[in-house]
Amino acid sequence: MSASTREAVLGRIRRSNGARPNDPERKRVVEARLAGAPVGIVPQRGQLPHDEQVALFIRMAERANASIARIAGYDALPDEVSRWLRENNFPADLRMSEDPRLSGADFGETSLTIRHGVSDGEDLNGLSHAEAAIAETGTLVLVSGPENPTSLNFLPENHIVVVRAGNIGGDMEAVFPMLRERYGKGEMPRSLNFITGPSRSGDIEQTLLLGAHGPRALHIVIVD
């Protein structure tokens, strides 16, 4: 759309609303709305004590066909990743993100072949770190950036995602304040991915196909 066409469309909208260009009162209302980030109606299902939010997240994620493990700290992550890959007969090969929170996980003691960074589309197993999670739907929240390439969320056949228990919120509305606190208002990551269970699709006969648009398997590791 050209600038002149866009201005013509916006001009018609203003006239239909009885507004005038650069109306200071309307600008004030818009700026207040953006600055305040008001919260809408929030469902009650996720309004629980935090331990119960974590339990709800686990139930909902498992219902979406994800598997779950809980570990005490990042030092236990390499053993958990190795166990999950081994028990599912997946290759001992892993493409992982360079998130600094994973620096406490020493994969050097495992038999895994480790690569870092962006997936080239040939990786069978990927490891990412989620920014947060949503209890009411069992959803992981992952942001884009050099530390956690978005390609790791969609290209590997099997996806392992780490999330801190403390970053599990009751609902979607609880996630955005977490992101603003970390990145600052107006500095959000370019992409925000919400992932609930492994990728799947159903045709007109409702035949479920896993891995249609992304990983076939999703394993979530909660770090207490």
Side-chain angles (χ1 to χ4, degrees):
M1 182 184 292
S2 66
S4 59
T5 302
R6 182 172 61 252
E7 187 56 37
V9 171
L10 293 176
R12 291 188 64 179
I13 294 173
R14 292 190 195 99
R15 288 193 296 274
S16 67
N17 289 332
R20 62 182 188 278
N22 301 316
D23 185 335
E25 177 59 20
R26 291 176 69 86
K27 290 179 67 175
R28 183 195 66 77
V29 171
V30 170
E31 289 170 359
R33 176 67 170 76
L34 293 175
V39 177
I41 298 174
V42 180
Q44 287 293 316
R45 181 167 58 174
Q47 308 306 300
L48 303 166
H50 187 255
D51 287 349
E52 295 181 31
Q53 289 177 343
V54 174
L56 175 61
F57 170 76
I58 292 172
R59 290 198 304 274
M60 298 304 292
E62 290 177 337
R63 184 178 297 179
N65 293 327
S67 57
I68 303 284
R70 297 186 74 168
I71 58 177
Y74 287 95
D75 57 339
L77 180 61
D79 286 343
E80 171 55 30
V81 171
S82 298
R83 179 203 66 78
W84 186 73
L85 294 176
R86 181 177 61 254
E87 291 184 1
N88 286 279
N89 201 30
F90 295 146
D93 187 272
L94 185 67
R95 171 82 70 175
M96 62 183 291
S97 77
E98 297 182 281
D99 192 295
R101 288 169 288 192
L102 298 175
S103 61
D106 182 10
F107 282 85
E109 298 299 318
T110 71
S111 60
L112 299 177
T113 299
I114 302 294
R115 294 186 301 279
H116 294 87
V118 177
S119 174
D120 58 7
E122 300 297 325
D123 302 299
L124 291 176
N125 307 308
L127 173 65
S128 302
H129 201 297
E131 200 64 32
I134 301 170
E136 67 175 352
T137 54
T139 300
L140 294 163
V141 181
L142 297 101
V143 300
S144 63
E147 297 172 354
N148 284 290
T150 298
S151 59
L152 286 178
N153 300 341
F154 301 106
L155 296 183
E157 287 286 303
N158 310 301
H159 195 195
I160 304 167
V161 181
V162 183
V163 65
R164 286 176 170 169
N167 289 337
I168 297 175
D171 43 64
M172 184 182 296
E173 288 79 4
V175 166
F176 290 102
M178 294 183 196
L179 296 178
R180 292 192 188 100
E181 183 177 352
R182 177 171 183 185
Y183 293 97
K185 194 171 177 64
E187 300 295 332
M188 296 284 278
R190 186 169 187 177
S191 297
L192 184 63
N193 298 136
F194 293 87
I195 296 176
T196 308
S199 173
R200 53 191 161 180
S201 181
D203 62 15
I204 196 168
E205 296 180 351
Q206 297 300 300
T207 300
L208 185 63
L209 175 66
L210 294 177
H213 313 293
R216 295 174 181 272
L218 174 64
H219 184 55
I220 302 171
V221 182
I222 301 173
V223 181
D224 289 323

